[in-house]
Structure formats: structure tokens, C-alpha cells
Amino acid sequence: MTIDEFISSSHILHRSFSERPSKIFAGDGIRLMLKNGKTVIDASCGPSVSCLGHSQPEIFNAINAYLRNDIAYAYSGSPYTNDATEQLADMLLAHKPGGLSKAMFVNSGSEATDAALKLAPRRTNFIARKQSYHGNTIGALCVSGHESRREFYQDFMSPNVSFVDPCYAYRMKDQDESDEAFVQRLSRQFEDEILRVGPDRVAGFIAETVSGATLGCLPAVHGYFKAIRGICDRYDVLLILDEIICGMGKTGTMHAWEQEGIRGPDIQTIGKALGAGFVPLSGVLLHEKIFQALSSGSGGLAHGHTFQAHPLAYAAAIAAQKIIKRDNLIERCAYIGQKLETLLRKEIGPLPLVGNIRGRGLFWAVEFVLNKKAKTLFPGQVKFCSQVVKKSLDMALNILGNLGHTGKYQVDHILVCPLYTVMGSELGNIIPLLKIAIIETSRPFLT
């Protein structure tokens, strides 16, 4: 590997060593301003985070006002609380969605996953799904089915986690298999795994309600989570839903599970759009029954970080959530998301190397194949989606590709998940640029 000269001389340990990053100096709405004079359309909100855009004066003012008038730091392990802490939790849980009644807040999605696992201590084993992603700390990687990321740290991976198949109908459903039969097959596999491990040993099942960057904005087949919820209830297994990337309105409802016909999860992780990226913030929501179990057992949670639940993060998130509610942006995600879907299916779907378009709300992915009919995978070394991402960036369009090799299926996809306030005219700029990038990247494979 050739190490870029800037990367080598920089005192920052950059995540990629081979490619020089461009320097950003400002952002405005959907656009990023670079020091080289280029303006980039951010069609993915970074990794689906900046849902209110890159300049939001109301949030800036809320942060400044908080710093002037309130406590700058309060340790969550101290005998204190503050108004911002209580207010954000009230905003999210006052109506107890699905029985979720308590919240704890941390900094990153990985921390939220670790905390969620610690909330299920009665038993020792977890079941997760292959080609899933729940974070990059050791604890979160243990329940992530992301093969290449796990491989680096295989010696640290916990033996008390086992994996079942994801609900990936595009590649996993048999040709003549109905959705109902596919759901039955997957739910039977899940139940068999509980029985294999031992119902008295399985603490919880963790899954992304809509899969993120590993499988590309993948909703489950209708009825899947209803079947999973029923099995979890039958064996007293906690259902832990990871909505760090897909939740907080992105799919057209506040919680993605609200579209699954279930009463809700026992534990839910949230993040990314929670604070819209202005200050790091993620969280864990838990059902009242979890709180009651903790109350009658240990009387607390043996978990915490120095900088979790930072008051400034609450101030930013409160301002963000107020804007989302006031401007009906979740409903707008559903409405404008239909326009995005129509454009993707009309302009991108017919392209010869586009195999599948999927998503909900403003959370969409395009999967590429060598042959549409046969759904032929690209060889792993081709990295077709990475080429599309690079070609798009050359045209000043920022999109997100996959996270490398994640498992059995090499899923070559890109994500299009623009901010909640994206205008129709901006979608009209995004889709043509994406189309050109795909066409240009496709040429060598079509001759």
C-alpha cells in the first residue's frame, strides 16, 4: 500500500492511509465547502447523521445560550441531574412508545450497544444476525456480524454470541418462495438457535430494524419482526432493536419499528439523527419491565463513562428535536421520501448494473450486480460501489458506500439518505449526478 504524503506527515491517525482527505472549512444546508474552493452536495449526511443540514442557527444559539446560563459539565455518576437531561428524556418518552419508559444517554452508537447488552444480565448468551453492524468497540463488535471488522480482533470476540441469517430477501429468498414462507424459514432458524443454545441461557436477540451500511437500507420482509417478537416473548428473550442509523424519523416514523406491527422492543438504541450531528450523542431506551427488573434486583446499573450524558449534548438535541417536531419533518421524510424513491426507480433502476433499490423514508440504497437476471456478484477486488462513490465525489456529490467485506454476500451498494429538509430541486441535482457516476463506472463492465 502506498501511504499518502500528507497522511504520513499529519499528527492525526487518519482512518485511511492511502487517500489524502480534502479539508472542509464550512457547511450550509446540504452543501459542504472545501478549502480547495469546491462545493460538495452531501447526499448522505455523512454516515446518515446531519439530518438538519450543516448550518442550523437555532441549534447554534441553543448551544451558546446553554453555555452562558447553565452548567458546562455534570458527571452522570454524581448525585445531580439538570433540566436539559430531564427535558430530552421527557421529549422522547413522555408518551411511553411501545412501553419504553427510561433513557440513558451516551456519546456514540457503539457505547449505546455496549450499554444495551449490559441491561440484559440475567442470562449470558446473545443471538445476532450475520452481516450486521452494531458498532466498533469490542463489545459492539462481538454482536456485529461484520466479518472483516471482526477478523482484525478475532481473539477478543466473545464466545457467547451466535448468529442467524439476516432478512435479505433479494438474495436469500428462493425463487418460488413466498414472503410468508421466507419469514417462517428465518423465524424457525431463530427459534432453533434459541433451543440449541438453551432457552435459559439466551439473554437477547439484537437486530437492526432497517439494516444500515452493511446490507444497505434493508427493510425486513413484512411479518418478520412480528414473528421474531412472538418467539422472543415465548422464550422470555429480550428483543434489542438497533435504530442508531435508521431511527429518529429517518424512515418516516419516529421509530422504524412502528412500521413493523409490533408492540415495540424491550431495549432500543438510538443515535446519529438524535442530535443531528451538532454534538456527539446516542442513547438507550428501555421498557418499563427492564427498569422494574433492575429496581428489584441490583437497584442500579453498573455502567458509565466520564463524558456520557453531557449537558451540552442535551441542549443541542433538544433544539434539534424541537425543530423536527415543529416543522413536521418526520412526516416530511415520508412524503419527500416517496419522491426520492420515484426518482431512484425511474432514473437509476433501469441502468444495466443496478440490481435492487430499497429503503424507506429518506433512507435508500442502490445495490449493483454484474448481471441483473442472475444477480451475479462483482468479484471482491472490484469494489464497484467504491468506484461509484469516488466518481460521484469527482462530480462534487458525497454519497456513502458499503463497509467492505461483511459476510457471505458481497453487497455492492451505495446509500442516498439526504437531510430531512431536502428540497425537490436538490433531489433533482443529486439523482442526475449519481446516474452519471454509475454510467461512467459501468462502462468497462459493459464492453
Side-chain angles (χ1 to χ4, degrees):
M1 176 190 291
T2 302
I3 308 298
D4 177 81
E5 183 182 346
F6 171 79
I7 299 295
S8 181
S9 61
S10 171
H11 291 293
I12 295 292
L13 181 65
H14 290 269
R15 289 177 65 168
S16 173
F17 293 175
S18 61
E19 195 166 342
R20 179 175 301 201
S22 299
K23 290 186 178 180
I24 298 175
F25 77 91
D28 183 20
I30 200 171
R31 289 173 173 78
L32 301 169
M33 285 72 169
L34 308 185
K35 280 200 169 182
N36 61 12
K38 202 171 185 179
T39 298
V40 176
I41 298 173
D42 186 5
S44 67
C45 295
S48 198
V49 174
S50 305
C51 65
L52 296 181
H54 295 288
S55 179
Q56 191 55 252
E58 289 182 62
I59 298 178
F60 298 161
N61 291 338
I63 292 171
N64 288 333
Y66 188 86
L67 286 174
R68 284 196 305 269
N69 302 315
D70 291 273
I71 187 73
Y73 169 73
Y75 175 43
S76 64
S78 67
Y80 308 112
T81 187
N82 59 80
D83 288 341
T85 301
E86 301 295 337
Q87 186 179 349
L88 181 60
D90 287 347
M91 291 176 74
L92 297 175
L93 297 174
H95 63 296
K96 295 188 177 180
L100 298 168
S101 68
K102 300 290 181 183
M104 65 177 295
F105 296 100
V106 292
N107 300 296
S108 71
S110 300
E111 289 178 52
T113 298
D114 284 5
L117 299 177
K118 289 179 179 179
L119 284 165
R122 286 188 303 118
R123 301 170 182 176
T124 57
N125 287 65
F126 289 89
I127 299 174
R129 298 193 300 186
K130 299 171 185 175
Q131 296 193 242
S132 58
Y133 184 66
H134 301 290
N136 231 0
T137 57
I138 294 299
L141 267 182
C142 284
V143 292
S144 294
H146 190 304
E147 288 188 3
S148 62
R149 290 200 174 187
R150 288 172 59 87
E151 186 178 2
F152 283 112
Y153 309 103
Q154 195 58 52
D155 290 341
F156 297 97
M157 294 296 97
S158 175
N160 66 330
V161 181
S162 56
F163 295 87
V164 294
D165 288 327
C167 190
Y168 186 17
Y170 176 64
R171 292 202 178 277
M172 290 179 54
K173 197 169 80 165
D174 295 336
Q175 187 173 356
D176 299 321
E177 189 175 29
S178 67
D179 284 352
E180 292 79 7
F182 182 52
V183 167
Q184 287 177 5
R185 176 157 63 92
L186 292 179
S187 57
R188 186 165 54 249
Q189 182 195 44
F190 173 51
E191 185 169 14
D192 287 347
E193 183 61 14
I194 293 175
L195 295 173
R196 185 193 70 80
V197 174
D200 60 334
R201 296 174 61 194
V202 179
F205 174 66
I206 182 168
E208 299 155 281
T209 315
V210 178
S211 294
T214 52
L215 292 175
C217 304
L218 178 67
V221 168
H222 178 72
Y224 170 80
F225 276 109
K226 199 167 185 179
I228 294 296
R229 173 76 272 180
I231 293 168
C232 286
D233 290 341
R234 190 178 312 149
Y235 293 100
D236 195 23
V237 170
L238 297 177
L239 177 59
I240 305 169
L241 291 184
D242 178 346
E243 297 205 359
I244 289 164
I245 192 169
C246 68
M248 302 308 297
K250 200 166 297 173
T251 63
T253 50
M254 174 62 88
H255 307 294
W257 57 259
E258 292 178 277
Q259 300 175 53
E260 301 297 339
I262 63 173
R263 64 170 172 82
D266 301 302
I267 300 172
Q268 177 182 341
T269 54
I270 57 175
K272 297 190 185 293
L274 173 61
F278 290 94
V279 180
L281 184 66
S282 291
V284 184
L285 310 179
L286 50 143
H287 195 277
E288 178 66 21
K289 74 175 186 179
I290 306 294
F291 174 68
Q292 294 300 333
L294 288 170
S295 298
S296 60
S298 62
L301 177 63
H303 177 82
H305 302 278
T306 300
F307 289 108
Q308 80 171 54
H310 197 287
L312 189 63
Y314 291 135
I318 289 167
Q321 293 305 312
K322 282 182 176 178
I323 292 170
I324 289 170
K325 183 176 182 179
R326 181 196 68 204
D327 296 344
N328 297 313
L329 294 185
I330 295 177
E331 293 83 354
R332 192 178 187 281
C333 280
Y335 166 72
I336 202 75
Q338 292 176 347
K339 292 190 173 186
L340 175 57
E341 177 184 6
T342 298
L343 284 170
L344 286 169
R345 296 198 185 282
K346 179 183 177 183
E347 300 295 331
I348 306 300
L351 299 179
L353 301 187
V354 171
N356 189 237
I357 293 173
R358 53 180 176 263
R360 287 180 186 166
L362 284 174
F363 193 55
W364 286 86
V366 178
E367 181 172 349
F368 304 106
V369 291
L370 266 173
N371 182 288
K372 279 196 177 195
K373 188 174 182 181
K375 302 179 184 177
T376 311
L377 296 167
F378 288 91
Q381 69 273 17
V382 168
K383 299 181 180 178
F384 185 87
C385 68
S386 297
Q387 294 186 47
V388 174
V389 170
K390 189 175 185 305
K391 185 70 71 173
S392 298
L393 196 55
D394 290 342
M395 296 186 295
L397 176 67
N398 189 70
I399 55 175
L400 196 65
N402 71 10
L403 294 175
H405 173 71
T406 60
K408 178 180 179 181
Y409 300 102
Q410 178 60 35
V411 189
D412 259 298
H413 69 265
I414 55 92
L415 271 60
V416 181
C417 34
L419 64 162
Y420 293 4
T421 55
V422 66
M423 304 299 293
S425 59
E426 290 171 328
L427 292 179
N429 292 328
I430 291 168
I431 300 303
L433 290 173
L434 176 60
K435 185 175 182 179
I436 293 170
I438 295 171
I439 290 172
E440 291 296 320
T441 307
S442 300
R443 291 192 195 282
F445 301 92
L446 299 175
T447 54

